[in-house]
């Protein structure tokens, strides 16, 4: 069966420090991968998605970037964090060729101080 | 562009009563609609989806949703609410236009079920 791993669960970082959040999927190949951010326990904002290795689509201009170095690995990064980067970050995957559901990771709570 | 709207920030209902969480959509082409639930500090869990076929879709935990094309709605329902249903609920639409494949979420509705 397929599983998605996202880490760390919580992270406290100072303003100006770098960020790297990692997400990996097991048990499937060539998944679509997504990064969402949720602010203050409300709506989800799609940040990045990827339909294949090295293919990254950015939804909103921001201080973050994403990379997909391997088929089942999706990394969210920043060179210098801002206070406004605080939030709950969720990674998700879906089968690319169907209209099946997204499977979500357990999320990372990022606090930038 | 595809979008969904959830007009209610919060819905309050007494345990044992029926519940409805509203969602309307705006899409070009056939809509692919989903409902997800989120418990505190957790990822989202899939409840149900509408792709095609029967307008009444049954999902997890006794939830169901009715697809209404004329009203462009996809409301989530449950005949008898439980306190444990209290959570944040998201409606979503999948956007699979050319070179795009993403899930667009509504702003969420907090369901509070009172004992």
């Amino acid at each position: 069966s397929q599983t998605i791993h996202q880490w760390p669960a919580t992270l406290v970082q100072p303003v100006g420090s770098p960020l790297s959040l990692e997400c990996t999927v097991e048990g499937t190949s060539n998944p679509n991968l997504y990064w969402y951010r949720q602010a203050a326990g409300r709506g989800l904002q799609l940040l990045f998605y990827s339909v294949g290795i090295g293919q990254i689509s950015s939804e909103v201009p921001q201080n973050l970037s994403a990379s997909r170095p391997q088929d089942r690995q999706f990394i969210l990064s920043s060179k210098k964090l801002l206070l406004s980067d605080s939030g709950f970050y969720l990674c998700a995957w879906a089968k690319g060729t169907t209209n099946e559901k997204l499977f979500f990771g357990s999320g990372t709570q990022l606090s930038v101080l | 562009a595809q979008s969904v709207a959830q007009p209610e920030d919060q819905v309050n209902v007494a345990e044992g009563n029926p519940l409805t969480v509203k969602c309307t959509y705006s899409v070009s082409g056939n809509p692919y609609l989903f409902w997800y639930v989120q418990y505190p500090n957790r990822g989202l869990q899939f409840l149900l989806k509408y792709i095609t076929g029967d307008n009444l879709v049954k999902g997890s935990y006794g939830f169901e949703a009715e697809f209404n094309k004329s009203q462009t709605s996809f409301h989530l329902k449950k005949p008898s609410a439980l306190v444990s249903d209290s959570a944040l609920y998201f409606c979503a639409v999948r956007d699979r236009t050319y070179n795009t494949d993403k899930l667009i979420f509504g702003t969420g509705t907090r369901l509070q079920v009172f004992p």
Side-chain angles (χ1 to χ4, degrees):
Chain A
S1 64
Q2 303 94 351
T3 55
I4 178 169
H5 302 281
Q6 187 181 343
W7 67 92
T10 59
L11 189 61
V12 180
Q13 291 285 101
V15 170
S17 63
L19 172 73
S20 180
L21 301 181
E22 189 163 341
C23 173
T24 59
V25 180
E26 296 178 356
T28 189
S29 60
N30 197 31
N32 288 358
L33 296 170
Y34 307 84
W35 278 111
Y36 285 88
R37 178 169 60 199
Q38 184 178 30
R42 298 304 309 210
L44 288 101
Q45 179 185 37
L46 179 62
L47 302 176
F48 302 95
Y49 69 96
S50 171
V51 298
I53 296 176
Q55 300 179 58
I56 308 295
S57 296
S58 175
E59 287 296 294
V60 294
Q62 58 202 315
N63 185 42
L64 303 168
S65 62
S67 61
R68 186 171 177 173
Q70 300 180 41
D71 181 44
R72 291 169 290 173
Q73 184 184 29
F74 205 26
I75 298 172
L76 184 69
S77 304
S78 173
K79 292 183 179 178
K80 287 186 177 181
L81 283 169
L82 305 173
L83 288 174
S84 57
D85 291 325
S86 294
F88 192 53
Y89 289 82
L90 288 159
C91 180
W93 76 273
K95 295 179 184 177
T97 58
T98 72
N99 286 306
E100 291 298 316
K101 59 194 177 188
L102 263 62
F103 297 87
F104 282 83
S106 53
T108 296
Q109 184 65 54
L110 173 65
S111 299
V112 182
L113 305 177
Chain B
Q2 323 284 55
S3 66
V4 289
Q6 294 180 246
E8 305 156 314
D9 281 347
Q10 180 153 332
V11 170
N12 299 318
V13 64
E15 188 173 32
N17 283 1
L19 69 88
T20 299
V21 183
K22 296 180 180 177
C23 173
T24 59
Y25 64 88
S26 174
V27 302
S28 55
N30 295 322
Y32 304 117
L33 298 163
F34 301 77
W35 275 101
Y36 283 81
V37 60
Q38 185 182 30
Y39 297 99
N41 299 314
R42 301 294 300 275
L44 276 69
Q45 298 177 33
F46 170 80
L47 281 179
L48 50 82
K49 66 180 179 182
Y50 173 82
I51 303 300
T52 186
D54 204 349
N55 288 344
L56 185 63
V57 180
K58 293 190 181 297
S60 307
Y61 313 121
F63 284 93
E64 58 189 27
E66 185 171 8
F67 173 70
N68 188 315
K69 189 172 183 178
S70 63
Q71 297 184 7
T72 62
S73 67
F74 189 55
H75 300 333
L76 181 70
K77 299 180 180 183
K78 188 173 182 180
S80 179
L82 300 172
V83 173
S84 58
D85 292 329
S86 299
L88 191 55
Y89 289 81
F90 290 97
C91 180
V93 60
R94 190 156 177 179
D95 183 355
R96 296 194 75 225
T97 51
Y98 174 73
N99 225 21
T100 295
D101 190 350
K102 55 191 179 184
L103 202 62
I104 308 298
F105 285 87
T107 50
T109 298
R110 191 167 300 281
L111 173 66
Q112 191 71 48
V113 181
F114 295 95

